[in-house]
Amino acid sequence: MTTFKSFIAGEWVESSTGEYAENRNPADTRDLIGLFPKGDARDVQRAVESAKKGFALWKNIPAPARGDVLRRVGDILVRRKDEIADLMTREMGKPIAETKGDVQEGIDTAYYAATEGRRLFGHTVPSELRNKWAMSFRRPIGVAGIITPFNFPLAIPTWKIFPALLCGNAVVFKPASDVPHTGHVLVEILLDAGLPPEVVQLVHGPGRVGNAIVDHPDVALVSFTGSTEIGSKIGETCGRMHKRLSLEMGGKNAMIVLDDADLDLALDGVLWGAFGTTGQRCTATSRLIVQEGVHDAFVKMLVDRAAKLKLGDGRKKGTDVGPMVNEPSRKNVETYVQIGKGEGATLALGGKQATGGELDHGYFYQPTIFTNVKAGSRLEQEEIFGPVLSVTKVKDAAEAFTVNNDVMYGLSSSVYTRDVNIAFQALQQLDNGITYINAPTIGAEAHLPFGGVKATGNGHREGGWEVYEFFSETKVGYIDYSGALQRAQIDNY
Ligand code: UN1
């Protein structure tokens, strides 16, 4: 059994508290992965001090050379893909095929970042005056605080850390306390790839570490993925302190299946969307909105197939659905199942902890489907973050769109139809950051902007080209080579 450390000021160190937390396999809690430091504000203080030195150095490295480091990170991730997928499944539970996808998303993000080092475009535009040049370009900002969730233990940190670094910032990284091992390996790889040590700091620990990062006056920008509740608190602090903040928070994503849909295709989509990652995705399909003409037939197909999903250890062949990440998450699902029953929804499948044999040692929960779920009920409105799908019947596409939009969140949505007009109407009318046609609510690719509207976010996007705007600041340069005072807005008019 290994005792891990945080990485602060260029060294692997114990936390100031000297305390450790156990990291156990959620599929089998007898399996102890290691002990990880329970840091506090003193560790963050040292990390930020060091990151400031890292920033002073790193911001002067040309962006293409910063990109070279990220290319090497991508190469190492390619080499270590299987090993990392395995350790990720061991600490958070989703099946190996999914954790391999998670590593691949990190690889894609690394290679995208590497090439962005040779772009980072600004604009050159005409000046209104003669013999004067006008342009904008991008500058690094400072120390970036990166606070990430457990469900994509590698991909989500890479979405934030790689663009932050490519833009020339230094990073203080706090991974979710359920997945410290993946965070450890990611930092190890950044260092192996040649990142100067003070440019990245890893502080393990509970929520107080995240709070200390957000509160620290020398952390200039914060990128957070997690619950809307915590994101709102972070937003208050960052607003008061004038920090740049990117929030990626809750979702209540719907898949809409219309009468003309290919039902077999929609069935594969909803099973993957609702029960992949045991429903623990911001992009999980947690609502299924079905048009009345196919409702009964489709629900039957769905319940039959979902009943056959194989629960188990994600590292074993044949497992479709892994455990939940921890006991509080499982309890939360239990609470929502009671809420659903209390609201009069029909429990069509599941609704219990999954037990028996090996399952008794992990945090398993049965794939759960409620039908007759009323639009506006708590089950239909609130994020559950577990394997619970609510089915609501509607009469037409217009009603489906209304039900989709009538929630506080707006991450992703999906429509199954063969009607091209409805497909384009959906893109235009659904209040989400991402809409899929004939594909489930998950499946975002690393080179496109990712994020949501309403209470899901605060207007920023991760991924693609847009995240580089978050992690850099626009500066404008005017060069007057006329040799005379030229007054803008005055001399020409
Ligand atoms: C998340 O749901 O928390 O959309 C992130 C997807 C992934 C990312 C999801 N690539 O499928």
Side-chain angles (χ1 to χ4, degrees):
M1 205 256 313
T2 318
T3 301
F4 289 82
K5 294 181 171 173
S6 287
F7 187 76
I8 300 173
E11 284 178 281
W12 293 100
V13 292
E14 286 189 9
S15 82
S16 305
T17 62
E19 289 167 19
Y20 288 88
E22 288 182 350
N23 182 17
R24 287 183 183 272
N25 180 344
D28 183 348
T29 55
R30 295 166 301 182
D31 176 21
L32 179 59
I33 296 161
L35 296 177
F36 286 83
K38 283 169 94 170
D40 70 6
R42 290 168 293 173
D43 300 302
V44 172
Q45 176 61 30
R46 286 190 295 132
V48 175
E49 282 309 317
S50 169
K52 282 161 67 180
K53 293 189 204 138
F55 175 60
L57 172 136
W58 184 241
K59 69 178 182 185
N60 293 321
I61 306 287
R66 297 194 297 249
D68 289 341
V69 173
L70 291 162
R71 182 175 308 99
R72 291 196 292 273
V73 168
D75 294 343
I76 300 172
L77 285 170
V78 168
R79 279 205 301 279
R80 296 184 61 180
K81 182 171 175 178
D82 289 354
E83 169 220 340
I84 298 171
D86 185 73
L87 72 85
M88 221 191 293
T89 296
R90 186 176 172 206
E91 75 175 344
M92 60 73 70
K94 66 185 176 185
I96 290 284
E98 293 189 41
T99 45
K100 279 190 184 165
D102 199 316
V103 182
Q104 187 59 45
E105 204 158 339
I107 294 167
D108 298 341
T109 303
Y111 289 145
Y112 188 98
T115 59
E116 190 63 22
R118 293 185 182 269
R119 278 190 299 264
L120 274 191
F121 289 129
H123 294 280
T124 307
V125 296
S127 162
E128 65 187 49
L129 295 159
R130 288 164 193 247
N131 296 324
K132 186 178 172 190
W133 199 270
M135 62 186 158
S136 73
F137 59 101
R138 313 204 66 91
R139 298 180 79 216
I141 299 175
V143 177
I146 306 290
I147 305 170
T148 55
F150 75 86
N151 60 341
F152 283 79
L154 190 84
I156 291 180
T158 70
W159 287 1
K160 301 176 189 298
I161 293 175
F162 295 174
L165 293 175
L166 189 278
C167 289
N169 305 289
V171 159
V172 177
F173 170 35
K174 183 229 175 294
S177 46
D178 287 306
V179 291
H181 196 189
T182 311
H184 174 96
V185 167
L186 177 57
V187 170
E188 194 176 78
I189 290 173
L190 284 163
L191 298 171
D192 283 353
L195 188 72
E198 290 189 307
V199 180
V200 65
Q201 317 277 332
L202 169 69
V203 187
H204 287 299
R208 65 184 179 220
V209 169
N211 291 341
I213 292 173
V214 173
D215 288 343
H216 200 294
D218 293 332
V219 172
L221 61 165
V222 174
S223 181
F224 167 80
T225 298
S227 70
T228 296
E229 189 194 346
I230 295 178
S232 299
K233 290 193 185 126
I234 293 177
E236 284 169 22
T237 307
C238 290
R240 191 162 24 83
M241 298 178 83
H242 308 299
K243 294 187 184 202
R244 187 179 279 223
L245 170 66
S246 176
L247 294 172
E248 191 53 60
M249 305 177 285
K252 191 70 187 176
N253 315 295
M255 175 190 286
I256 297 169
V257 178
L258 298 176
D259 282 351
D260 69 339
D262 176 338
L263 294 187
D264 292 318
L265 184 69
L267 179 60
D268 285 339
V270 68
L271 289 165
W272 172 232
F275 303 118
T277 321
T278 324
Q280 302 168 112
R281 296 191 184 215
C282 342
T283 52
T285 308
S286 54
R287 297 185 295 155
L288 176 66
I289 303 171
V290 192
Q291 197 172 354
E292 56 193 11
V294 291
H295 176 275
D296 294 356
F298 190 63
V299 165
K300 183 172 180 335
M301 287 163 74
L302 169 63
V303 171
D304 287 352
R305 272 278 295 281
K308 296 195 182 94
L309 289 171
K310 189 166 165 17
L311 268 66
D313 180 345
R315 295 159 89 198
K316 296 217 171 106
K317 266 211 158 53
T319 296
D320 296 312
V321 181
M324 302 212 56
V325 72
N326 55 34
E327 188 56 23
S329 297
R330 183 162 70 166
K331 284 252 160 61
N332 182 54
V333 168
E334 192 63 53
T335 304
Y336 274 98
V337 166
Q338 295 317 322
I339 289 170
K341 287 180 181 166
E343 288 177 327
T346 310
L347 183 62
L349 185 73
K352 286 199 187 70
Q353 294 191 7
T355 49
E358 291 295 304
L359 300 185
D360 287 342
H361 300 293
Y363 307 120
F364 291 93
Y365 203 90
Q366 296 174 346
T368 297
I369 299 172
F370 278 100
T371 55
N372 297 316
V373 177
K374 285 193 200 60
S377 63
R378 286 188 65 189
L379 194 64
E380 198 263 347
Q381 294 279 313
E382 298 177 17
E383 183 173 50
I384 301 175
F385 229 68
V388 182
L389 178 68
S390 302
V391 187
T392 301
K393 182 157 52 168
V394 292
K395 61 178 187 313
D396 55 19
E399 187 185 352
F401 291 3
T402 303
V403 171
N404 175 81
N405 287 349
D406 197 12
V407 291
M408 67 185 276
Y409 301 109
L411 185 49
S412 62
S413 53
S414 135
V415 182
Y416 280 75
T417 180
R418 290 178 167 111
D419 183 334
V420 69
N421 293 348
I422 297 278
F424 275 87
Q425 285 165 22
L427 292 181
Q428 208 164 32
Q429 292 176 26
L430 298 180
D431 295 333
N432 302 95
I434 309 170
T435 292
Y436 294 91
I437 304 296
N438 294 328
T441 58
I442 64 180
E445 302 181 25
H447 59 298
L448 278 98
F450 178 93
V453 303
K454 300 195 280 188
T456 293
N458 65 339
H460 292 291
R461 290 292 180 270
E462 311 211 73
W465 52 94
E466 285 208 13
V467 68
Y468 292 88
E469 292 181 12
F470 175 76
F471 282 110
S472 61
E473 186 98 51
T474 298
K475 178 158 185 182
V476 165
Y478 294 106
I479 301 106
D480 189 324
Y481 51 99
S482 69
L485 170 66
Q486 301 196 83
R487 296 173 302 174
Q489 294 92 38
I490 296 174
D491 289 342
N492 277 347
Y493 298 95

